[in-house]
Amino acid sequence: MSKNVSKIERLDKIISSQGLVSRSEVKQLAKRGDITVNGVVVKDTSLKFSYDDVIVVEGKRLFQTKYTYIMLNKPKGVVSSTDDKRDKTVVDILPDDLKRKNLFPAGRLDKDTTGFCLITDDGEFAHNILSPSRHVTKTYIAEVSEAIDVEKAKKAFSDGVILADGTVLLSALLEEIPCEDRHLFKVIIKEGKYHQIKRMFASLGTTVIELKRIAIGGLPLDESLPEGSARVLSDDELKSIVKNDEKF
Ligand code: URA
């Protein structure tokens, strides 16, 4: 999460990559003389500057960050990778203003899973939040096909589910979400094994039919973000990811 490294980039790219204004808005602001670099008004946004230059937009200093952290509300049908021959990836569907080299999803959601996908170019941060030893929680809403014995399931999740292949999972939290005609649950896990939630419910004899990730660590999915949309995280939001209020 270090800041202010030197890197030569187009002015419109530097400004729009901070996620506050689009590239076309940057052009308009520049035309109006509302952008200065090192105290000089710059009207040509294709000029290249360094991330160390002092850029001021409408009187506000831009504090450029080295890395980008994006919250995407992942829709179904999109794969959590950077490259795929058949399907669109979570990086493909980012708006142009947020696209940068080296972005990748920090953790995998299945093609049919929706919700909070964190996309970044900060490998160390991704490693930290994914490492099971850090216990950064991931919270999901799961709908399953068959009713289950909830008390038994809560205990099994809390004790640590043993998957069909013998993998022993860390303790997880299960809460039933009361619903008349559907079997809905909130599940909080501290690791991210392949198809983990689906396999946890399979061990209870039921099938996950809908799955949505609603939080990573202490940061909930911004529900005002429509499926398929993305935005840059604020510094406080980023910090709240690793602020784990772990209760299990
Ligand atoms: N667990 C799953 O089974 N699928 C996901 O996409 C995420 C967690």
Side-chain angles (χ1 to χ4, degrees), residues 178-182:
C179 187
E180 232 171 63
D181 50 356
R182 297 162 74 191

Side-chain angles (χ1 to χ4, degrees), residues 1-203:
M1 283 200 258
S2 55
K3 299 193 171 198
N4 297 329
V5 284
S6 280
K7 189 169 160 190
I8 302 295
E9 200 96 71
R10 283 173 59 116
L11 184 60
D12 49 6
K13 175 107 194 211
I14 294 179
I15 297 175
S16 65
S17 70
Q18 306 304 307
L20 299 171
V21 279
S22 66
R23 269 207 201 191
S24 56
E25 285 165 337
V26 174
K27 274 208 179 78
Q28 299 296 322
L29 288 165
K31 255 193 214 158
R32 293 204 302 261
D34 282 338
I35 298 178
T36 62
V37 181
N38 304 324
V40 178
V41 171
V42 176
K43 296 205 166 182
D44 180 356
T45 57
S46 69
L47 292 175
K48 292 190 172 175
F49 293 96
S50 140
Y51 276 74
D52 288 334
D53 286 314
V54 177
I55 300 172
V56 175
V57 181
E58 287 187 300
K60 283 194 207 100
R61 166 104 191 253
L62 202 75
F63 289 98
Q64 304 94 285
T65 52
K66 177 177 180 184
Y67 295 117
T68 303
Y69 307 89
I70 295 168
M71 175 191 284
L72 167 74
N73 187 355
K74 179 188 169 303
K76 286 187 184 190
V78 173
V79 293
S80 292
S81 61
T82 51
D83 194 22
D84 195 275
K85 286 198 175 67
R86 271 184 313 170
D87 295 302
K88 276 206 175 355
T89 72
V90 288
V91 174
D92 292 334
I93 66 165
L94 290 177
D96 286 346
D97 290 341
L98 297 187
K99 278 187 181 145
R100 275 177 166 224
K101 261 185 250 153
N102 304 326
L103 287 175
F104 63 91
R108 280 178 180 261
L109 291 179
D110 297 335
K111 189 172 163 183
D112 57 354
T113 300
T114 59
F116 188 174
C117 177
L118 179 70
I119 298 174
T120 184
D121 47 3
D122 184 346
E124 194 183 331
F125 180 77
H127 175 78
N128 286 340
I129 66 162
L130 295 175
S131 165
S133 64
R134 302 279 176 139
H135 291 189
V136 173
T137 55
K138 283 96 195 167
T139 307
Y140 294 86
I141 301 293
E143 178 175 2
V144 300
S145 57
E146 310 294 328
I148 53 170
D149 179 333
V150 177
E151 287 315 309
K152 220 165 120 187
K154 277 185 177 176
K155 181 162 185 333
F157 276 30
S158 165
D159 289 348
V161 169
I162 302 172
L163 298 176
D165 65 359
T167 305
V168 181
L169 298 179
L170 295 173
S171 177
L173 203 70
L174 180 73
E175 264 175 39
E176 187 175 26
I177 301 171
C179 187
E180 232 171 63
D181 50 356
R182 297 162 74 191
H183 310 297
L184 289 182
F185 296 91
K186 178 165 148 182
V187 188
I188 309 181
I189 57 175
K190 297 187 257 199
E191 55 196 332
K193 301 250 186 295
Y194 182 65
H195 292 333
Q196 180 165 334
I197 302 277
K198 290 174 183 164
R199 292 198 289 161
M200 286 169 84
F201 279 103
S203 76

